[in-house]
Amino acid sequence: TADEHWCYEIQAKEPNSNCKGPDQWTGDCQKNHQSPINIVTKEAKVNPDLKPFTFFGYDQKKRWEVKNDGHSVKMMLGNGSFITGGDLPAQYQAVQLHLHWSQDLNKGSEHSINGKHFAMEMHIVHEKGTSSNAVEDSKDKNAVLAFMIEVGDEENKAFQPLVEALPHISKPSTNTTVNEISLEDMLPKKEKLVHYFRYQGSLTTPTCDETVIWTVFEEPIKLHKDQFLEFSKRLFYDEEQKFVMEDNVRPVQQLGDRQVFRS
Ligand SMILES: Nc1nc(-c2ccc(Cl)c(S(N)(=O)=O)c2)cs1
Ligand SMILES: [Zn+2]
């Protein structure tokens, strides 16, 4: 289907590209409750129901499968990690973790906060329900936890196994495993995770289903500059390794009639 040939703007504008850039994405991509968005913090409404999350299984150190899926680097999490709380209507199973980035430190995140983009953005994608029964399509089928990533001068040890795996998955549709990573170690300290923004939106990739309860945490993750540069140095969009994987970022979408909330 046309969506198999969807791509980002940086790929679509290549002379002989035959892929569809963001303004040609189909599915629900042209609807009006889309993601990402710019978050204007002073217009976000405090909602006291936005309690802290509880993370189950995030502390387990595991060997994870990671892959280059041609759009990002994706870590498969289907193993029983899940979240509750955060004013979510049920428990949500962790499915996969992936990132978006640019080489430009100021345009690698999909969401922006008061117009500021970060170097990268990490998404942990969850699906409603228990590992035995997931629910069908609905506005709250998915919950994505979004973390901004800044570049600093300290190595982030929790990300090193993922960074070292990147050269093994430089081509699309390649897999490898990373060992001894715990999701919890990759995230900001738990007490920092009480501050977040919340809105109803979509997948930021085709078919852009409007099924996502978005949580954008205020506290950024920090990576060393060299760790950050590895993503756009080691990963490629194409088999021929002509196009490095960077700017895998959808442009911000109109908020429209939606309200952004904050904890
Ligand atoms: N690289 C790829 N990412 C996705 C995907 C699937 C589900 C979701 Cl929710 C998202 S996102 N960016 O909205 O978190 C991305 C498919 S292929
Ligand atoms: Zn994403």
Side-chain angles (χ1 to χ4, degrees), residues 69 71-72 74 96 98 100 123 125 144 203-205 214:
D69 66 2
H71 311 290
S72 179
K74 201 154 69 171
Q96 53 109 326
H98 64 271
H100 304 263
H123 291 154
V125 181
V144 180
L203 276 63
T204 68
T205 57
W214 277 95

Side-chain angles (χ1 to χ4, degrees), residues 70-99:
H71 311 290
S72 179
V73 51
K74 201 154 69 171
M75 208 159 101
M76 319 313 280
L77 305 177
N79 76 308
S81 299
F82 63 94
I83 52 174
T84 62
D87 199 32
L88 294 177
Q91 77 176 36
Y92 281 72
Q93 295 290 321
V95 173
Q96 53 109 326
L97 172 155
H98 64 271
L99 297 103

